Structure formats: structure tokens, C-alpha cells
Amino acid sequence: MASVVLSDAEKMYIIHGVQEDLRVDGRGCEDYRCAEVETDVVSNTSGSARVKLGHTDILVGVKAEMGTPKLEKPDEGYLEFFVDCSANATPEFEGRGGEELGTEIASTLYRVFSSEGTVDLKALCINPREHCWVLYVDVLLLECGGNLFDAISIAVKAALFNTRIPKVRVLEDEEGSKEIELSDDPYDCIRLNVDDVPCIVTLNKIGYRHVVDATLQEEACSLASLLIAITSKGALTCMKKIGKGSLDPESIFEMMETGKKVGKSLHASLQKVLDEEESLGTTRQKVGFLG
């Protein structure tokens, strides 16, 4: 993960500020930076979104392709995640560094989406055991300015909300062979229900307190952090501890409670933005990911 080198004096300044609930950029410990969210930014995808959170910039594209259901789940479609850490985002992503982080983020996304009911996978089934929709979720890290996991989860949820899957009909001839017919109408499509898709909230332990949406400088002062997936209803679906430092049970409990509270308001803010963009329809002025 991208990192910065701070002097001991700089670290002490950040740590002391956090203990007083005053961060370097003026935020309190439980405040997020202003996030910019834009959907439908890549033309050749089924759905896409770009999220800018401080200096962190993420682009997500979703492509729906027809595939064969997995043997253990013959009546469901599935999601595949791929994360590309652009070397332009930070020099540390050159060579193996970016590859290892990409694998770690992808495995975290698989874990978050493995929870029951996150996405209605049965709605992606076309023909049990024969045909289903596979959603390829491609994540591109354009810039890293701290709090990668949260920004990626917001972008993934926004891209899935924006995803439109063509409606299909299964036609059977007299001999019993099946043919699949895709609808020509771009408005005749399936939309995913993303109400239960979790957002990740990362809480970094700094000194005796914890902060959400840490900057790169704050991450450099944190030895341990807790990454939790929270639904819009405030339910915790999975949890992961990262960093070399230790967390005592009391801290973990406090961090979980903060994460639930912050996660619920994060979902509400995101859904409001997505609904506003949706209501504008084709009249919306697009910035695009090169804007």
C-alpha cells in the first residue's frame, strides 16, 4: 500500500491532534473527507463509476457476460473481481508491489460479497446449470491518497447500482434445443438491487483513539487498523484486522460501534447522490474519468 515517510515530530503532531479530536485537515475523528461520485463514466461497460476521496481516485467498470453457473450453485450467476494498481498512482506499485496489493484488495472484495444476500445472484441465472450472467468487476487505482478500501467499496457499489444487464428470453425448438435471444431495447434491462451491498469502513488506531478515512500521513502513524463491512441497515457482515500492531478487545468493540454508525451515514449519503444522478437521466452533464 502507498506510504509516506514522516519525521518523529510530524508523527507526534498528528497523534496529539487525534487525541484532542482535531486532525491536521480540521476534521474530527469520525469525519469523512468530501467524496466525489460519478456513475456511467466508461461507455463500453454495463455499469461504471468513479470515486474521488481526497487524493484517492478509483475507477470501476462492470461488464456482464454470459457464462456457465458454478457446479455447487447451478441456479445462480456470480461476480469476478480484478484490481489493477496503476504504477502512475504511486511508484511503489511498480513490479510486484502493485500486484500483491491488487490480490489483497480482490480477495477482500470476494470476502465482502460472499455474505448471503449481498447481491441477488439468482436474478443473474438465465437457465439453471446452463447459462448465467457473470459480472466482471474491474477496479483501477488511478491515485492513492489513503483509505483505499473504503473508496473502492463505494465505487463498486455505485458501479453495480449503475449496471444494466440485457433481458434475455430462452427459446426452445421442437427438438428441445435451447436458443437465447437478447433484447434489442437498451431500456429493456435488469437492474441490480444494491440495498444490501456493504460499504467498507476502515478504522485506524492512532494513539489511544481511532479515526475513519485516514490520509496517507495518518496511516503512517497507525500500527493497526480494523476493516469492517457494514450494510445500509448498520449490520456488520465481515471484519479484518490489518497492520503489525495489536488491538485490545475494548478498542475493537469501540471501533465496531463507530464503524456501524459511520457506515450507516455513508450509505445514506451515497444513495442520495446515486438517486439524484439517476433522476437527471440523460440531461446530466458528464465529467467523465478524463475530466
Side-chain angles (χ1 to χ4, degrees), residues 115-156:
S115 299
E116 195 72 32
T118 302
V119 175
D120 183 9
L121 297 174
K122 283 186 166 57
L124 298 176
C125 182
I126 298 166
N127 218 2
R129 289 187 290 278
E130 289 181 28
H131 302 99
C132 71
W133 287 111
V134 183
L135 300 184
Y136 292 95
V137 183
D138 291 312
V139 179
L140 176 62
L141 276 61
L142 299 169
E143 194 179 348
C144 295
N147 201 22
L148 273 183
F149 286 96
D150 298 25
I152 288 168
S153 74
I154 294 168
V156 168

Side-chain angles (χ1 to χ4, degrees), residues 29-47:
C29 289
E30 296 178 11
D31 297 335
Y32 265 81
R33 291 167 289 183
C34 182
E36 292 176 38
V37 180
E38 189 185 4
T39 57
D40 201 20
V41 287
V42 185
S43 57
N44 61 342
T45 58
S46 307

Side-chain angles (χ1 to χ4, degrees), residues 172-223:
E172 200 170 333
D173 62 18
E174 292 160 11
E175 293 162 16
S177 60
K178 289 168 184 165
E179 227 176 74
I180 288 171
E181 188 182 79
L182 264 76
S183 173
D184 295 334
D185 184 357
Y187 295 100
D188 189 20
C189 56
I190 302 166
R191 298 289 299 276
L192 292 172
N193 181 354
V194 298
D195 289 349
D196 293 324
V197 171
C199 277
I200 294 171
V201 177
T202 306
L203 299 111
N204 292 73
K205 186 85 185 285
I206 297 177
Y208 297 108
R209 297 189 70 159
H210 51 264
V211 300
V212 300
D213 188 24
T215 61
L216 278 179
Q217 289 77 11
E218 288 170 337
E219 285 178 355
C221 300
S222 173
L223 291 175

Side-chain angles (χ1 to χ4, degrees), residues 11-31 206 209-211 218:
K11 283 186 179 180
M12 290 310 293
Y13 180 71
I14 292 170
I15 293 166
H16 284 157
V18 167
Q19 307 320 299
E20 301 295 327
D21 196 25
L22 184 63
R23 294 156 79 172
V24 174
D25 53 12
R27 289 182 291 154
C29 289
E30 296 178 11
D31 297 335
I206 297 177
R209 297 189 70 159
H210 51 264
V211 300
E218 288 170 337

